Amino acid sequence: MKIHLLLAGLAIGASALYEDQVGKFDWRQQYVGCPTQVQIDRRGKLDRYIVSTAENVVASLSMNTGDIVWRKVQEDVGNKEPKHPLVFSGQKNVICSVSESGKMVRLWAKRDGGFVGQQLLGTVESSHAPFVTTTADTCLVLSHNRAIALSLKDASKLWEVELRKSDWVAARAFDGGFAIVGGLKENNEVHVKWVDTKGMQTLNKILDVNAFNPQKVAFTGSHLVGFWDSTVYALNILSDGPDMKIEAKGVAETVFETFALTSENFVAIRTKSRVHVLDVIKGFSKVFSLPSEAEAVSEYVNKEGKRFLASVHGNRLSLYQVDGDKELLKDVVFDSELKRAPAKQLIIGGGDKEWEFLVIGADCRTDHVVADITVKKAALEWTREEGLTRIGSVELLDLPLSESQAAIETEFAVDEKNILASFAHRIFSQLDQFKKLIARSADTALELALNMKQMKSGSFSDLLNSVRQSARKSHSGGQPLERDVFNLRKLIVATSLGGSIYALDNQDGTVVWRRYIGADIQGFETIEGKTKIPILVQRTTAFYNFDAQIVVAYKRNGIGHLLFLNPVNGKEVDHQTVDNARRIDLLPFVDGDHLHHVITVDRTNQVSIYPKLSADAIEKAPPVHLFDVNSVNGKVTGYRLDLTTNRLTETWAHQLPHWEDSTVVAIAGKPASERTHSQGRVLADRSVLYKYVNPNLIAVGLLAKSAPQLNIHLFDSVTGQIVHSARLPKVTAPVYMVHCENWVAYAYWTEKGRRTEIGILELFEGDEQQHVETFDSEEPLKRPLHVEQASFIFSQGISSMAVTETEQGASNRAILVSLPFGNIFEVNRRILDPLRPMELTPEMREEGGFIPYMPEIPIATEEMLNYNQTVHHVNGIKTAPSGLESTSLVFVYGLDLFYTRATPSGNFDVLKDDFDHILICIVLAALFIGSYVCRKLARNKALQQQWA
Amino acid sequence: MSLSQWRIDSSHASRAARTADSAAYSPPGFSNVGQTVQHHVEAEQSSDQQEHLMKKRAWDVAMGPGKSLPMNMFMMYMAGRSISIFPIMMVAMMLWRPLKALFSVNSTFKPLEHESTGSLLPHKLVFLLGNCGVVALAIYKIHTMGLLPNYDSDWLEFVPEARRIQYTLVGDLFV
């Protein structure tokens, strides 16, 4: 039995990669996330940025290339931003980072990111934003209203001091210990505490402020600087005794923001028009005012103690010397792109002639700019698209037809009225195609000849290699965006919750275009609790005489927006606003322009359609139904859409059972494009069990809280009939669900077994097919459904689940599961099958293809789609069909992006990857030539023999 | 070449000599007449036998395929149900030979056609039946091997997808 299983496993796992195929079909891009804190590390030869990000990552980036030197991924924060971002502080060798809103402190070696130690501070999130500061040997963390000092050697706790309740804290080290300052909004108080290096309190003071607001304070050097309305106040926390008092001063304009500068005793305030630098010690006297508007301002003190101030506005950068009031750079353009996101943060790397800057945009784009102050020019050295770490939705789109494919389309596009004219047209277009073919092959031949000329040694293997290389070169990179033969090349369009839309080339992941919509946008919250910026494909590129069109839906200030775009170049086509949209979807039919119309349904069930439907289209439209799950009262309602009046008429309604203490964890329908090739399952006795493929079937997963259990309801959204219900007791989150063809797969954590399990539920009509030609939901089922169910132990955790998709749906399906340690695992449906027999009978053995039931899903490393290219914090997996039936394209997104091809049934329709066309061609040609030459030689020889 | 400038056709000459002198050189007491009579009697006898033999032979030919049935059955039993090259070849031969025979019934019985044997129709019928029996056996064998597309499952991949009447919007539900 064991051997059988092993053999079956081997047969399925035969799709693993070879070593030389690594990186051939797949790519991975590693990101760090949206930077929140950046430090410059200039020790030794390699200059680096140390960044901490909203995605709970501490990383070191090379200043020269922007590559990740080291990256430490900490706890997954999911799709949402954590309550408080990760903060860190570093001395010469060690970084001390506080992650998970103050729960955990970790120490890292600065140069190589080596782990030094860690300390758990609490199991709940800190109420205030944590603060961390370091001295040569101590790391002081302020979190959970406590001050904790840790040794930088091994993260052991040195001492701990209770603080007064506060919602803002900061600290500064001085010779005798630490000065800790905190503030509480509700009491309008600021308290200062001095602690010596042994943890003994030396000073404790509470001061009153007129209006304390944790959002309106900054900490610079030894000063706490805050403001209300048009008043600025400051407190020197290092002044002893009676000197410690809050000084306030009114300024002419309303203050919007204060921010800390690097040099002590100076602070910058932003008023409506300008940014001013004030000297706190000299009674808030204005030291410097920026002459123009600025999105982000930063200060830098060079080795000689000179202070510089830089500002960014749009794509322009300015640099001023504060002391001499000199203007070093004035509105120097560093990026040709005009529609940039406003800068959120600016970091100055300094320099003598060539200054380095890091500009972090509101869409998390991170640009490294080098500016020459003598020639007054700036250039973008590298860019990291960190916005791609927060993807709200992804679509894989076909590329437009290539020139030759479009030529073939036009060749047949002529109306058939005049035979002679169409004949002439075909002849001419074919001549044109032939001409192009000749030109192309001449180009390749020329390239080949050039390559050969360059080659020094003339061995056969070198020749083969050069031919192969030139063949490969013409296949990748630098090509125009057009469809390839097998439609494997696609455009990945992704929306970022950071406020941008990206289009990536699926061959190498390069950004084809990027469009910034606004950092102030929000996604739509789904009932399951996910945030999405949906992308809907209105028209694919299949029609050469129409441009493709997509629509991106997002919210700004609570109002929904629909942005209509051409996905190939990112140009805006149209823009609409919608109010209170509960649902944004595409109508399942097209009008005369092959365009799927967008339908939105608002809270009052008002329907809007963009663009308006023509009367002709309304007449021809098939019946369209909708369903709605009310998250407040647990009512499920079905509606029928009336296109003439744009109204919804309720057709059915029922209450979800056990709604009161349940949450909806999954609502899964089936996309209209999904195809099921095989209508049944063949059993061991060669009879057929017909599948119940109901395109209107919806699966709803409900997780009950008090008595932990998972309820799965399958209902027909047209009639409201509950087709099947399943109850799994003692099941808790996380639950993932995939609904496809006639089955539903669901992963869950079972309390009873204390493990992750994957269950599968498959619906059959029985041995007679009821829905042969048409599937009408209104038609009642003649016989009760045959439901097969099984569950399997999955020995790993699961962080995301998806199913492969192929063009005709004839290949086996596979379920793609992302594992928390960074791998993507492919579970074939043959393994995850409720019809796996308990025991193999002789007939089954004879028929073959049956794998006996085994409670575990074997996890083989060959079936890891991403071999050693681990991806972290996976948010979702997107699959798309390619032109090859065997191949499904897989795009995994999260902190890292990973793209590959999956072949769940093996590569049955393509030659092996190492099939050597060139060698075979050469051998064939050599044989032909050889036989010709030999015939001639043989004839000559025969003639000579006769003469002899 | 030079050698074949002339030659003697000995066979031609000798035959001419024999025919010329056959009567003249008969030994004494040899009667040509008697011999012919005896010959006549023998011929009568042998033509009876011939007729019998012919009929027998015709029946043999007609019964041949039928007789080979048990033997074929045994062979098929021995071939087994596994699908590999030898059983497939055996079954194919078993199917092919009777099929070929079915199309050449007349040519099989051509040498046996004689006024003495009379009508060969019953023979042909039996022959046909026998061959049909062998074909049936072969088809049964193919069936047991599972090569015959006579189950629903064999036509499953040709069942088209059902066209849907209603459409449902399945996109995300937003709060």
Side-chain angles (χ1 to χ4, degrees), chain A residues 720-740:
Chain A
Q721 183 206 0
I722 292 197
V723 172
H724 183 72
S725 281
R727 192 178 72 93
L728 289 107
K730 294 193 177 167
V731 164
T732 57
V735 173
Y736 301 93
M737 194 189 269
V738 164
H739 185 190
C740 181

Side-chain angles (χ1 to χ4, degrees), chain A residues 268-502:
Chain A
I269 57 165
R270 184 199 293 278
T271 63
K272 198 177 174 189
S273 57
R274 293 287 158 78
V275 174
H276 306 283
V277 180
L278 308 178
D279 190 336
V280 183
I281 292 175
K282 290 177 185 159
F284 298 105
S285 56
K286 225 176 258 181
V287 180
F288 186 80
S289 290
L290 276 186
S292 58
E293 275 184 76
E295 286 155 2
V297 180
S298 181
E299 196 217 17
Y300 177 75
V301 183
N302 73 359
K303 280 173 202 151
E304 291 125 48
K306 282 184 183 154
R307 286 197 295 274
F308 297 90
L309 209 63
S311 72
V312 188
H313 188 254
N315 60 347
R316 285 156 197 279
L317 189 89
S318 306
L319 180 69
Y320 310 96
Q321 193 176 335
V322 175
D323 307 310
D325 216 352
K326 257 200 289 181
E327 202 176 79
L328 298 174
L329 292 170
K330 173 81 176 136
D331 281 345
V332 177
V333 176
F334 65 88
D335 184 10
S336 53
E337 205 174 306
L338 291 170
K339 278 185 185 170
R340 277 178 63 89
K344 187 174 77 170
Q345 216 178 333
L346 174 69
I347 289 97
I348 308 175
D352 302 323
K353 253 173 64 187
E354 288 202 329
W355 283 60
E356 285 167 316
F357 301 92
L358 190 73
V359 184
I360 300 163
D363 63 344
C364 306
R365 183 177 159 184
T366 309
D367 295 316
H368 180 76
V369 179
V370 174
D372 194 322
I373 55 168
T374 49
V375 293
K376 309 228 180 290
K377 262 190 187 155
L380 204 63
E381 220 163 59
W382 49 260
T383 298
R384 292 186 66 85
E385 298 286 357
E386 296 296 344
L388 283 170
T389 53
R390 298 179 63 211
I391 285 180
S393 198
V394 183
E395 282 297 329
L396 266 72
L397 287 157
D398 293 353
L399 285 170
L401 296 169
S402 72
E403 209 181 321
S404 52
Q405 284 163 331
I408 291 167
E409 292 283 334
T410 45
E411 187 185 327
F412 293 101
V414 174
D415 49 351
E416 304 288 309
K417 275 175 196 156
N418 190 346
I419 296 171
L420 217 65
S422 60
F423 178 71
H425 178 78
R426 286 201 60 180
I427 292 289
F428 278 120
S429 54
Q430 281 183 11
L431 274 177
D432 197 40
Q433 285 166 37
F434 184 67
K435 207 170 78 188
K436 274 175 193 148
L437 178 81
I438 297 276
R440 221 177 310 135
S441 30
D443 273 355
T444 359
L446 197 73
E447 202 175 307
L448 191 68
L450 280 173
N451 273 350
M452 284 211 217
K453 214 177 158 191
Q454 280 168 1
M455 214 166 49
K456 291 278 187 286
S457 64
S459 80
F460 183 66
S461 66
D462 281 350
L463 179 81
L464 260 182
N465 275 338
S466 79
V467 172
R468 267 193 210 122
Q469 250 150 30
S470 73
R472 203 168 297 156
K473 225 182 273 165
S474 67
H475 272 291
S476 67
Q479 284 168 293
L481 275 174
E482 57 184 34
R483 200 176 297 183
D484 58 354
V485 187
F486 295 127
N487 200 5
L488 287 165
R489 198 167 175 217
K490 303 242 177 184
L491 199 65
I492 303 170
V493 179
T495 52
S496 160
L497 296 173
S500 284
I501 308 170
Y502 299 91

Side-chain angles (χ1 to χ4, degrees), chain A residues 535-781:
Chain A
I535 306 173
L536 307 168
V537 183
Q538 286 192 285
R539 182 164 51 209
T540 61
T541 47
F543 313 100
Y544 73 100
N545 41 3
F546 288 107
D547 279 336
Q549 192 170 320
I550 58 165
V551 58
V552 175
Y554 58 90
K555 271 203 273 193
R556 180 179 274 144
N557 303 326
I559 296 169
H561 288 256
L562 298 178
L563 182 66
F564 298 82
L565 297 167
N566 179 349
V568 180
N569 52 23
K571 293 253 158 57
E572 183 180 324
V573 179
D574 195 5
H575 183 264
Q576 296 279 353
T577 54
V578 283
D579 265 350
N580 291 324
R582 278 220 63 202
R583 188 145 204 184
I584 298 164
D585 221 322
L586 288 178
L587 284 178
F589 52 88
V590 291
D591 66 354
D593 302 338
H594 305 285
L595 191 80
H596 287 276
H597 291 253
V598 178
I599 173 171
T600 63
V601 182
D602 69 4
R603 283 194 176 78
T604 55
N605 281 347
Q606 210 69 49
V607 175
S608 320
I609 291 171
Y610 307 96
K612 292 257 178 305
L613 276 172
S614 63
D616 187 41
I618 290 174
E619 208 170 287
K620 278 190 207 153
V624 177
H625 293 258
L626 279 93
F627 72 97
D628 187 20
V629 181
N630 192 324
S631 55
V632 180
N633 58 17
K635 210 171 117 181
V636 191
T637 326
Y639 300 99
R640 195 195 147 104
L641 175 67
D642 188 349
L643 287 166
T644 45
T645 55
N646 272 1
R647 237 169 248 235
L648 296 180
T649 41
E650 191 175 316
T651 46
W652 56 267
H654 54 72
Q655 187 75 26
L656 282 173
H658 309 295
W659 168 258
E660 297 72 36
D661 72 340
S662 303
T663 45
V664 176
V665 284
I667 301 175
K670 286 185 279 188
S673 59
E674 190 185 280
R675 304 208 46 192
T676 309
H677 183 77
S678 181
Q679 297 304 308
R681 278 285 300 268
V682 183
L683 302 180
D685 60 353
R686 293 178 192 163
S687 64
V688 178
L689 201 54
Y690 286 99
K691 292 176 182 172
Y692 176 69
V693 190
N694 183 349
N696 304 317
L697 199 67
I698 308 289
V700 175
L702 284 169
L703 202 59
K705 277 171 256 166
S706 56
Q709 66 176 34
L710 174 69
N711 290 298
I712 296 168
H713 303 289
L714 301 173
F715 62 89
D716 191 303
S717 55
V718 173
T719 59
Q721 183 206 0
I722 292 197
V723 172
H724 183 72
S725 281
R727 192 178 72 93
L728 289 107
K730 294 193 177 167
V731 164
T732 57
V735 173
Y736 301 93
M737 194 189 269
V738 164
H739 185 190
C740 181
E741 293 182 358
N742 65 327
W743 51 268
V744 180
Y746 39 91
Y748 51 88
W749 173 263
T750 144
E751 296 252 286
K752 200 176 161 195
R754 291 173 189 278
R755 62 193 176 206
T756 308
E757 288 184 2
I758 300 182
I760 183 142
L761 198 150
E762 203 162 358
L763 305 171
F764 294 101
E765 281 184 355
D767 49 10
E768 227 174 283
Q769 201 178 10
Q770 190 189 337
H771 307 280
V772 182
E773 270 167 23
T774 56
F775 193 97
D776 189 352
S777 286
E778 314 265 353
E779 185 188 321
L781 279 170

